[in-house]
Amino acid sequence: MAGLVNNLLILILVLQNICSGFRSSLSVFKRYKDATRSLSSECFGSTRPVISFGLSDFALDIRMPGVTPKQSDTYLCMSVPLPVDDEAYVVDFKPHASMDTVHHMLLFGCNEPSSNENYWDCDEGICKDKSNILYAWARNAPPTRLPKGVGFRVGGETGSKFFVLQVHYGDISAFRDKHKDCSGVTLHLTHQKQPLIAGMYLMMSVNTVIPPGEKVVDADIACHYKRFPMHLFAYRVHTHRLGKVVSGYRVRNGQWTLIGRQSPQVPQAFYPVEHPVDVSYDDILAARCVFSGEGRTTETHIGGTANDEMCNFYIMYYMEAKHAVSYTTCTQNANPEMFRNIPQEANIPIPVKPDMLKMAHGHHEETKDTDKSSLQLSKGEEEEILDQNFHIEEAMEWPGLDLKLGQVSGLALDPENNLVVFHRGDHVWDENSFDSKFVYQQRGLGPIEQNTILVLNPSNAKLLRSTGKNLFYLPHGLSIDKDGNYWVTDVALHQVFKLGADAKEPLLILGVALQPGSDNSHFCQPTDVAVDPVTGSVYISDGYCNSRIIQFSPNGLYVMQWGEESSSGKAGPGQFRIPHSLALIPELSQLCVADRENGRIQCFRLETGEFVREIKHRSFGRELFAVSYAPGGLLFAVNGMPYPGESEPVQGFVMNFSTGEIIDTFIPLRKSFEMPHDIVASEDKTVFVGDVHARTVWKFASTETDGEHKLDSNSGRILGRLRGKGGGGLNLGNFFASHKGYSRKGFDRLSTEGSDQEKDEDDGTDSEEEYSAPPPPQALSSS
């Protein structure tokens, strides 16, 4: 009865539109879509509504018939016959689903579905004959609109006679109230002949093997195109958990033209080709998927289960109607040698763009993002992280605590993964070091006579080599570029130095010795340096008496700067109170800053200095001294001692970079943190912490034992243990039947949680210097 009433309401709305003079089929369709929004919680029943828009256009609503999935990772399919016998064209898709209940939807065209039931488990199959994918939706992706004059041809003598909708219900906690789901998609079809016919070109690898532990594995696909010209206007990428980036190209006369690149860890919808590409006879279509086998103990093969992998690059195209082919596949690599010339970008992981993040977190275009500065975790994701059992503890066998060091101000790892320590020898930064104008007052002591840069074996703390004698007065920050050069700051000299690993003299000096300033050629107590391994650009945090980040070219030319001093009260984006430590995230083109006296981490885009996000937690306390990023999506940080009357302990933090959430904290067992000043983490999650007051370097090691829990290096999102089915989708049995582990699945499970919540409201206190006699409530600890 409810379905009949709904149909009558919609029919009345359509008749009202016609009577009111809204003769345009598109305007009627829009009103139909608007009208159905208020009915989204109702089901249309077993008779699917077909709404006519005059003589040529109609809408077909394809919905699940009120289903209640019983377990997570359920894949349900249902079919709808094309309501006309003659040829028609799909020109628009309008999804009706929410990521709160649906993980993804796929729409296929075929001549005979696998079942005649009202709906069925997709494990029984999708279509008995060849199926063509027409549409994909995931995680609140926006509607897919075809270009004007373009349509998918259905019906008639050659087109599909049925539509099959597949819905993946990932997390069924939303169905605890036993409500019925009616998710689906509304198609706008027309009988008007479209001059251009849409189709799908699927490129996929069928024989890639990913060795266990291999950092980079390329899967390459290439085919010569031997048909009439086609025009590419949208693309979609797909891998499972090990995929890092997928790229597709047209190659013509040796020239590579990008079709699209995307992280397979963002919503796997169709995205528009930024600059539409035409493909002609004898062009080559090429694609590369980049995988990492780290964390796996056995070979990973192409297949459909969660523990297998896939490498798919979908291209949506259109052709002239008289030459149109609706579906084509490419599963080989016709010319492996050509991939020597593939653009370098194909192997660089893709940053997750802000609009992708908003899409993944359930924001709509018209929704204002009221708090872009802080990302926190939803309860569901927190449970996955806690289930991971990731933890680091002090490495008790590490003899580095017995090293005879001065105040340890900086740590880094060189290209050989050796630990490099920057310390102050017999010099000390205290209340007598600077006057009120930040001019160094102890020049009479001369430079430090000891070697200030020590290279240690990370396993046994054995000294491998040392340098830096008679060069520095008060060392502070240390960074090492991809070529092994040392970049250091000296807060007394107000300078930044580049040194070769064995050089006695600096290769480059920025700033003017002993002269504080705030212009393009002067610094004021600069704190740290970061060097982009891709561009060579140099980023300097400046510092104790300036509140800015400055970018220089690789040879030391000023490029730009950003940042300002925090005003009284709450610190805003791009405002600093001692930008103290820098961490580069190259694969996301971001620079994260430990904003020390504001007790937070701020992240910015390398290219523009644009603010991206803030990470702030109450457990940080008032001060956050240092931050480090480990490839694989982990962020490490150390805070400062609590102020009198406050209780937050001094400790180290491990965070999920994507969400900013704390997944572990750590403290040393031998000795105690006094003022942990710098932190550095290796790719294998070994962490070193240098303490300026304890004059000590600690080593911490991961105790992670669960091999199923890994971090994705593009988004940094924890991928919890996969349960149940590994995915459901395109029927690729003809290609994968002979391959290990094939089970007719095409999608890996992605987390369906995500939220932007309020951040902590802790404020810091004003402070200017770094020495650390126990400070009064309004004073600053120093180092």
Side-chain angles (χ1 to χ4, degrees), residues 327-341:
Y327 187 73
T328 306
T329 58
C330 170
T331 61
Q332 61 178 329
N333 186 358
N335 186 1
E337 292 297 315
M338 66 178 286
F339 283 90
R340 293 181 179 181
N341 299 317

Side-chain angles (χ1 to χ4, degrees), residues 39 52 216 279 302 307 349-350 440 520 525 579 619 626 659 716-717:
L39 303 173
S52 177
V216 179
V279 178
I302 294 295
N307 290 321
I350 294 291
Y440 185 55
N520 295 352
Q525 297 178 342
S619 54
T659 66
R717 177 177 49 79

Side-chain angles (χ1 to χ4, degrees), residues 201-250:
Y201 191 107
L202 172 58
M203 308 183 70
M204 60 184 183
S205 172
V206 296
N207 54 13
T208 296
V209 177
I210 305 169
E214 194 75 22
K215 287 187 176 182
V216 179
V217 179
D218 297 331
D220 294 332
I221 314 153
C223 289
H224 278 89
Y225 184 72
K226 299 292 186 179
R227 298 181 183 275
F228 287 93
M230 65 177 177
H231 304 270
L232 317 183
F233 64 90
Y235 71 98
R236 175 180 174 269
V237 306
H238 175 65
T239 73
H240 290 183
R241 288 179 290 175
L242 303 185
K244 304 303 177 185
V245 61
V246 182
S247 308
Y249 297 88
R250 181 203 69 190

Side-chain angles (χ1 to χ4, degrees), residues 541-571:
S541 50
D542 181 36
Y544 282 91
C545 33
N546 290 326
S547 298
R548 59 180 180 170
I549 308 297
I550 314 175
Q551 179 186 350
F552 291 85
S553 69
N555 58 358
L557 298 177
Y558 173 87
V559 176
M560 68 171 181
Q561 68 179 33
W562 70 87
E564 61 183 9
E565 186 176 359
S566 299
S567 56
S568 58
K570 189 175 180 179

